[in-house]
Amino acid sequence: YLELLQDTWVGYKNVTFTLNAKSGEEKTFLWTTQPDPLIPGWSIRFAQHLTDVEEIKRKLAETEALFKIDKKTKAFNEETFLIDFESILFDKRKKTPFVVGMFDVDNFKALNDKYDHITGDQVLIELVEFLKKRLRDTDVIYRLHGDEFVVVFDGDNIQELWKKIHLLKEEFSQYIKKKLSLEFWVSTTWGLTKIFPYSKRLQSTSCEEEMKKMDRYMYAIKYFKLIQDELIKRRVISESFEEKNSVAYARLDEQERFL
């Protein structure tokens, strides 16, 4: 973590770790760094030896939290998602299904090309903040990489979630266009999957398999967006078709069979 921050020349504050001194005694230090005011590109480090047990516990917990958060967007990071998802997926005590959604920003590269990466980063930051304010406190957002995210929802009503996300997508597109004064229309594409609890699961699964499902549903909608104008032209669907610019998910019965 320290090497990562140093490589980007970003100062870190209040990073705590315990090490074995030459005497064999365990010592805990609170480290801080800041840019050197005299030498550009260099930094000055400070180390404070901590001795109070309660303070050590608190500072170590704060440092551990740093490893779980994506620095840019403040969503949880990919490593934390893989740990949390596997824990939930194989939790034998869990009795109810839950829903996981994968989403990304449409044409994100084109957005960066039209404006710049700073604008692209700001869109991602605003997106996470927007969702945090409108989803439940128990719905957890993770950033996988780039513009790709996952939400683990506290609930199993996938139809209600579909309706909610459909509205949030439209609201965010309007919000970010006005907030950043963009000419570019920013939209998102979602794939949802409902996962049955371990005790009621009829088929074996894995984190990788469930993520592949979400990815397939998400890209099914992306493909639909590419061909929707042709489908309208052929009158296969109407212009007001509800799935336009929307969310994909598989409908399963209680036996996990496709409906």
Side-chain angles (χ1 to χ4, degrees):
Y1 178 76
L2 298 180
E3 288 176 356
L4 175 65
L5 291 177
Q6 286 178 292
D7 288 344
T8 56
W9 296 107
V10 176
Y12 52 85
K13 294 181 179 180
N14 300 337
V15 174
T16 307
F17 57 90
T18 301
L19 54 80
N20 289 319
K22 291 181 179 179
S23 62
E25 178 187 5
E26 275 195 351
K27 293 187 176 182
T28 302
F29 293 90
L30 176 64
W31 279 68
T32 303
T33 185
Q34 63 184 38
D36 191 320
L38 300 178
I39 308 176
W42 286 63
S43 59
I44 304 172
R45 304 181 198 180
F46 304 90
Q48 176 189 352
H49 180 207
L50 302 179
T51 56
D52 181 77
V53 175
E54 291 304 316
E55 184 181 16
I56 288 174
K57 288 181 181 178
R58 187 172 67 255
K59 292 297 184 183
L60 285 173
E62 290 173 359
T63 297
E64 185 179 3
L66 291 174
F67 290 87
K68 297 180 178 181
I69 301 295
D70 174 62
K71 191 167 173 248
K72 189 176 298 296
T73 64
K74 300 299 185 288
F76 286 100
N77 59 29
E78 182 179 16
E79 291 78 11
T80 304
F81 168 69
L82 294 174
I83 293 170
D84 291 352
F85 190 39
E86 184 168 2
S87 175
I88 300 171
L89 200 58
F90 299 106
D91 185 355
K92 295 182 180 180
R93 298 166 299 176
K94 191 169 182 61
K95 303 299 181 184
T96 56
F98 63 100
V99 176
V100 183
M102 180 182 288
F103 68 95
D104 69 4
V105 178
D106 297 329
N107 303 311
F108 189 65
K109 184 180 183 301
L111 172 67
N112 283 328
D113 290 344
K114 181 173 178 62
Y115 295 96
D116 50 44
H117 287 281
I118 295 175
T119 302
D121 287 346
Q122 193 60 39
V123 167
L124 300 183
I125 293 167
E126 293 287 347
L127 175 57
V128 171
E129 186 64 25
F130 175 89
L131 291 175
K132 281 182 176 180
K133 289 179 178 178
R134 289 160 178 81
L135 297 177
R136 293 164 296 193
D137 292 339
T138 48
D139 298 330
V140 186
I141 306 171
Y142 303 84
R143 183 187 185 191
L144 299 184
H145 43 73
D147 63 314
E148 199 164 279
F149 296 82
V150 166
V151 180
V152 177
F153 294 99
D154 181 20
D156 64 347
N157 192 328
I158 198 166
Q159 285 83 10
E160 288 302 315
L161 282 172
W162 182 92
K163 293 175 184 177
K164 183 173 184 176
I165 292 170
H166 185 71
L167 294 174
L168 288 177
K169 281 163 41 62
E170 297 300 320
E171 185 184 349
F172 177 74
S173 294
Q174 297 286 353
Y175 166 82
I176 198 67
K177 180 179 174 67
K178 184 177 180 181
K179 179 71 182 286
L180 300 185
S181 300
L182 299 176
E183 297 177 3
F184 194 98
W185 182 255
V186 178
S187 60
T188 56
T189 297
W190 290 68
L192 302 179
T193 184
K194 183 175 181 177
I195 301 174
F196 286 79
Y198 185 87
S199 59
K200 297 181 181 180
R201 202 171 294 148
L202 301 179
Q203 303 172 17
S204 61
T205 189
S206 66
C207 294
E208 292 77 14
E209 183 59 33
E210 294 301 334
M211 290 180 71
K212 284 179 182 178
K213 286 181 187 177
M214 290 182 282
D215 200 56
R216 285 200 299 270
Y217 304 152
M218 185 174 72
Y219 276 92
I221 284 293
K222 287 186 180 293
Y223 178 69
F224 174 81
K225 289 178 181 179
L226 289 175
I227 65 171
Q228 63 185 8
D229 291 338
E230 181 64 21
L231 293 176
I232 292 170
K233 183 178 178 181
R234 294 183 185 183
R235 297 186 179 181
V236 176
I237 61 173
S238 67
E239 290 189 50
S240 61
F241 189 59
E242 194 173 19
E243 291 284 343
K244 189 174 182 181
N245 185 29
S246 197
V247 185
Y249 66 91
R251 296 181 63 196
L252 307 175
D253 62 17
E254 292 301 321
Q255 303 300 314
E256 296 185 63
R257 296 174 301 203
F258 284 98
L259 295 173

